[in-house]
Amino acid sequence: MGYRLGVDVGGTFTDLLLFDEANGDFWRHKTPSTPSDSSEGILTGVEALCAAAGVSPTEIAYFLHGTTVATNAVLEGKGARVGLVTTEGYRQIMQIARSFVPGGLAGWIVWPKPEPLAKLEDTVEIKGRINAAGVEVRPTDDADIRAALEKLKAQGVEALTVSLINAYVNGDHEDRVAALAAEILPGVPISLSHLVLPEMQEYERTLTTVANAAVRPLVGRYVRNLRDKLAKVEMNGRLSLLRSDGGLMSSQKAEEHPVALLMSGPAGGVTGALWVAKNAGLKNILTLDVGGTSTDVALIERGEPRRVRTTEVGHLSVRASSLDVKTVGAGGGSIAYVPELTKALRVGPQSAGAVPGPAAYGKGGTLPTVTDANVVLGYLPENLLGGAFKLDRPAAQIAVQTIADALGIGLMEAARGIIDIVNENMFGALRMISVQQGYDPRDFALMGFGGAGPLHVNAVARLMGSYPAVSPVSPGVLCALGDATTRMRTETARSLSKRLSETDLDAVLALLREMDAQVRAQLVQDGVAADEIETGFEIDVRYSGQAFEVPMTIELATLEGEGLSVLTQRFDEEHARLFTFNMDAEHELVNLRAVASGRALELPALELARGDGDPAQAKLREHKLWMDGAEQAAVIYDRSKLEAEDVIVGPAIVIEMDSTTLIETRHIGTVDAFGNILITPTVSGESK
């Protein structure tokens, strides 16, 4: 046994959580992020945390890390210059793209088409052709390939993508290009489509491989830099990065396959929420991760987060597994304003960020933000952490007064208006992943985390009818906890694309077993013990003639025992749930996937001492706040002094090192055995 260190790098803060595997003790630390080089902030945090815990960096066995390096590279257009090698006749593949235009009928007039990640001048064609059955129709020509690669070299490409037609069934031609590229373009990372995404649909396969190539140099540099810095403080434990789908990958694999990291940041919160939910005995959860700039929401059903086959970052939509996380521009730093034209209050998506930040932070910010409205209303007390962090309430009042004046209403009404709107924005994002996916939010609990999640979780739960509203211990560093408690994961895919009448069970099982062996071998290579690996399978099914498919999870034993009909039956049920109808058409099996996971960590959670139900020992002081259109008497509690089974009657505020929890009027917060606060309504009409 040793120590595990979870590190989550956000836009404002880098959160660290050190976990003792033997007894469940943990230490947490927040340090300002260093955007120019995240590894500097990480190292500062590691040294401070190790000093606080009395642990040497040499004792840390696992360093587990969620990062937004790949995400930001795409959002900011700072990816590498990518050279693309295609089959003759396919040079415009990235420009033709898929004809999806967001917006209404006039979208095609007003929508500026995003610039492809691989430019047309950096795209070359080569001779050679493989057919859909994987048979060579025309051979490649080495002289032709060399000429194409020399052209890309002269143009100074920093990364290379090879995506040839039908390579998903036979990658020989791509391998030949890679062999020559290693000689002609030494040091340039090469991404091959049959390794990155061995699935049909050449545009999606090419786009995903190009995205992989675009972020490879940046991610590679970042990972090597981090490894070197950690080696200097003799932290030689295993370095793993969090994938978009909530699993971990080794840092070496991350350098080769960074397209799997595009949603690494938000995935940490969901995996942390899973661990908390397990301890709290909750199976169905909606997550509300509120940061400074944005809010991420996700859905967990029966202890499993919803995963999707596409990762979306800005305009980019690539074919890579990720947790189904939706993001909305609503956070603590979101700016409130009243447009001259409509005279209607708006909040976000613009954010005051870390600099200058909300007016209440006293760092020069003057624009009214969500944080300022919370300070004005008394939801965020001025003296936090025993006075170690003081908020400037007069500055917040001056900022919010500008909104009150523009609307011709009182200061408190304006502040409450800002909070109501931001809560509605969060509610809108949650509806997208629940109601609009066929789920009833009243069947779920709502967990709020991130710096501002617990401030809003009670109000949003009230809008959703999702109870209990949960405020976990250390909500501000929950993403780092997620990084520390998740498990290694890898996957592979194959395209089958056959109607049910054209294939049989044995052929499908033979392919799945072959893929099973492949993913197991990958995890063993990453240092996971063979007897700790579990494999799950997914088969994409659609009605013949449809252009989209639904992924169905299936176990080998079920398939062996019940045959392919169990798959089609489940597909019909899911199709009816998603789209309210079924079709009288034959089923088609499109893609097969095998997903291997290492052992889930059974980390112990610390249990609190049991109290008598009265939180008097944690009471800090009386307090006044504005709620339900009037000033209310409330109490502020210190979370570290709460005991299990304590019942906190709202309105109340619970403060801790990295977050503040607000319990509203007509609600109570019950502390569970592990210190989570479960908020439920006291009025029967508001409960389920």
Side-chain angles (χ1 to χ4, degrees):
M1 299 296 270
Y3 293 89
R4 296 176 75 86
L5 178 65
V7 178
D8 179 71
V9 179
T12 314
F13 286 106
T14 294
D15 300 327
L16 300 98
L17 189 116
L18 184 67
F19 223 104
D20 185 342
E21 289 188 17
N23 58 20
D25 280 350
F26 68 87
W27 297 265
R28 58 198 174 171
H29 186 71
K30 274 178 113 69
T31 185
S33 292
T34 48
S36 55
D37 179 5
S38 310
S39 56
E40 283 178 27
I42 292 173
L43 211 66
T44 308
V46 168
E47 288 171 340
L49 195 58
C50 285
V55 172
S56 158
T58 53
E59 295 175 73
I60 298 171
Y62 298 96
F63 183 102
L64 312 146
H65 177 29
T67 175
T68 52
V69 171
T71 326
N72 293 345
V74 170
L75 287 175
E76 295 166 17
K78 291 182 180 168
R81 183 171 182 175
V82 180
L84 171 60
V85 180
T86 61
T87 301
E88 208 168 28
Y90 282 83
R91 186 163 169 251
Q92 276 88 3
I93 188 164
M94 294 292 284
Q95 282 67 32
I96 295 169
R98 285 264 174 248
S99 60
F100 169 72
V101 175
L105 284 174
W108 59 276
I109 300 171
V110 298
W111 181 58
K113 198 170 175 184
E115 187 68 30
L117 287 173
K119 293 190 172 78
L120 191 59
E121 61 263 34
D122 294 333
T123 306
V124 293
E125 297 179 330
I126 61 163
K127 296 185 174 86
R129 181 81 179 215
I130 281 170
N131 70 12
V135 178
E136 184 180 76
V137 180
R138 278 201 306 276
T140 54
D141 174 347
D142 279 7
D144 172 56
I145 295 172
R146 283 178 189 279
L149 292 172
E150 288 289 358
K151 182 186 172 193
L152 291 179
K153 183 179 183 178
Q155 285 174 208
V157 299
E158 300 158 317
L160 184 70
T161 296
V162 187
S163 183
L164 305 177
I165 196 75
N166 296 323
Y168 67 93
V169 277
N170 180 347
D172 289 353
H173 284 184
E174 288 192 351
D175 288 334
R176 184 62 195 146
V177 177
L180 294 171
E183 173 196 319
I184 294 165
L185 294 159
V188 172
I190 303 163
S191 298
L192 306 180
S193 78
H194 76 279
L195 297 179
V196 173
L197 185 71
E199 291 183 15
M200 58 184 264
Q201 294 183 316
E202 63 275 8
Y203 172 65
E204 282 73 11
R205 179 162 48 87
T206 304
L207 178 64
T208 303
T209 314
V210 166
N212 192 69
V215 295
R216 261 187 86 165
L218 262 168
V219 172
R221 206 160 41 240
Y222 174 72
V223 169
R224 287 189 295 276
N225 200 358
L226 182 57
R227 236 189 262 125
D228 293 346
K229 286 203 167 134
L230 293 172
K232 281 179 187 156
V233 293
E234 297 186 348
M235 205 232 84
N236 297 314
R238 187 182 298 149
L239 172 60
S240 301
L241 280 87
L242 191 69
R243 296 160 49 104
S244 306
D245 60 16
L248 290 166
M249 68 200 300
S250 67
S251 60
Q252 287 79 6
K253 191 84 195 285
E255 286 184 63
E256 295 164 22
H257 202 85
V259 76
L261 298 174
L262 286 174
M263 289 294 275
S264 172
V270 182
T271 51
L274 276 171
W275 188 79
V276 171
K278 204 168 118 196
N279 292 330
L282 298 166
K283 290 273 191 294
N284 290 354
I285 300 165
L286 294 162
T287 68
L288 183 72
D289 180 357
V290 187
T293 305
S294 60
T295 293
D296 299 320
V297 300
L299 181 141
I300 296 168
E301 184 187 28
R302 293 196 289 272
E304 271 295 312
R306 254 182 75 93
R307 289 187 173 88
V308 286
R309 282 296 295 136
T310 51
T311 303
E312 294 182 9
V313 178
H315 287 301
L316 184 69
S317 176
V318 297
R319 190 74 66 83
S321 284
S322 70
L323 297 178
D324 188 7
V325 175
K326 293 280 185 285
T327 302
V328 61
S334 293
I335 295 166
Y337 60 101
V338 179
E340 194 61 42
L341 193 65
T342 60
K343 293 287 184 195
L345 176 60
R346 300 283 302 273
V347 180
Q350 301 83 359
S351 171
V355 181
Y361 282 12
K363 288 184 183 171
T366 55
L367 295 172
T369 66
V370 172
T371 297
D372 295 317
N374 276 314
V375 170
V376 168
L377 292 162
Y379 303 164
L380 261 180
E382 295 106 292
N383 284 319
L384 292 174
L385 321 179
F389 187 59
K390 193 158 171 43
L391 294 166
D392 187 344
R393 194 173 187 203
Q397 287 171 328
I398 291 166
V400 176
Q401 187 65 48
T402 60
I403 297 292
D405 293 346
L407 294 170
I409 57 174
L411 173 67
M412 290 302 179
E413 285 84 359
R416 187 64 222 189
I418 293 170
I419 300 302
D420 286 343
I421 286 177
V422 84
N423 288 341
E424 285 287 346
N425 290 346
M426 293 174 190
F427 176 35
L430 284 159
R431 281 180 62 88
M432 282 165 68
I433 53 150
S434 57
V435 178
Q436 291 179 22
Q437 303 271 20
Y439 295 99
D440 185 339
R442 291 169 297 187
D443 297 335
F444 291 78
L446 180 69
M447 188 181 295
F449 49 93
L455 258 181
H456 295 269
V457 72
N458 191 164
V460 179
R462 187 162 40 77
L463 292 171
M464 302 277 297
S466 301
Y467 288 108
V470 185
S471 168
V473 177
S474 290
V477 295
L478 194 80
C479 289
L481 173 73
D483 299 337
T485 55
T486 189
R487 53 190 184 161
M488 298 293 282
R489 182 180 163 102
T490 190
E491 65 175 57
T492 190
R494 298 274 174 92
S495 279
L496 184 67
S497 201
K498 288 199 170 147
R499 295 181 190 189
L500 220 57
S501 58
E502 296 169 348
T503 188
D504 60 30
L505 180 62
D506 291 341
V508 173
L509 287 172
L511 270 172
L512 290 177
R513 289 193 186 107
E514 192 184 311
M515 291 160 69
D516 182 21
Q518 185 186 334
V519 286
R520 282 175 177 276
Q522 279 177 11
L523 278 194
V524 168
Q525 198 182 334
D526 281 346
V528 180
D531 59 350
E532 291 180 355
I533 299 171
E534 290 173 12
T535 317
F537 300 93
E538 266 183 12
I539 300 180
D540 291 345
V541 186
R542 68 183 178 194
Y543 291 120
S544 182
Q546 273 187 328
F548 60 93
E549 52 277 341
V550 178
M552 310 299 301
T553 54
I554 191 81
E555 287 171 4
L556 271 188
T558 311
L559 214 49
E560 286 164 347
E562 301 180 46
L564 293 173
S565 60
V566 69
L567 201 61
T568 55
Q569 189 185 328
R570 278 196 206 166
F571 169 77
D572 286 342
E573 288 168 11
E574 182 70 357
H575 196 279
R577 189 183 70 76
L578 285 170
F579 308 112
T580 72
F581 71 95
N582 289 125
M583 287 169 66
D584 187 20
E586 196 180 350
H587 295 84
E588 187 180 349
L589 308 185
V590 186
N591 299 310
L592 312 178
R593 263 182 306 281
V595 182
S597 304
R599 183 173 57 88
L601 264 170
E602 294 301 323
L603 288 175
L606 286 176
E607 292 201 31
L608 296 190
R610 184 168 296 185
D612 57 3
D614 182 356
Q617 76 287 346
K619 182 175 171 178
L620 285 173
R621 61 183 185 275
E622 304 282 334
H623 181 68
K624 292 271 194 292
L625 53 76
W626 181 275
M627 196 171 280
D628 297 341
E631 192 172 74
Q632 310 268 355
V635 179
I636 298 177
Y637 296 94
D638 178 349
R639 188 159 192 169
S640 63
K641 296 195 170 99
L642 289 173
E643 294 171 341
E645 296 183 12
D646 278 356
V647 175
I648 303 162
V649 179
I653 293 167
V654 182
I655 61 172
E656 59 191 299
M657 186 272 276
D658 58 350
S659 195
T660 303
T661 304
L662 175 68
I663 300 166
E664 294 196 338
T665 51
R666 302 189 301 283
H667 285 77
I668 57 165
T670 309
V671 182
D672 75 3
F674 301 103
N676 302 306
I677 301 172
L678 309 180
I679 303 168
T680 50
T682 51
V683 180
S684 57
E686 292 202 29
S687 62
K688 287 183 209 173

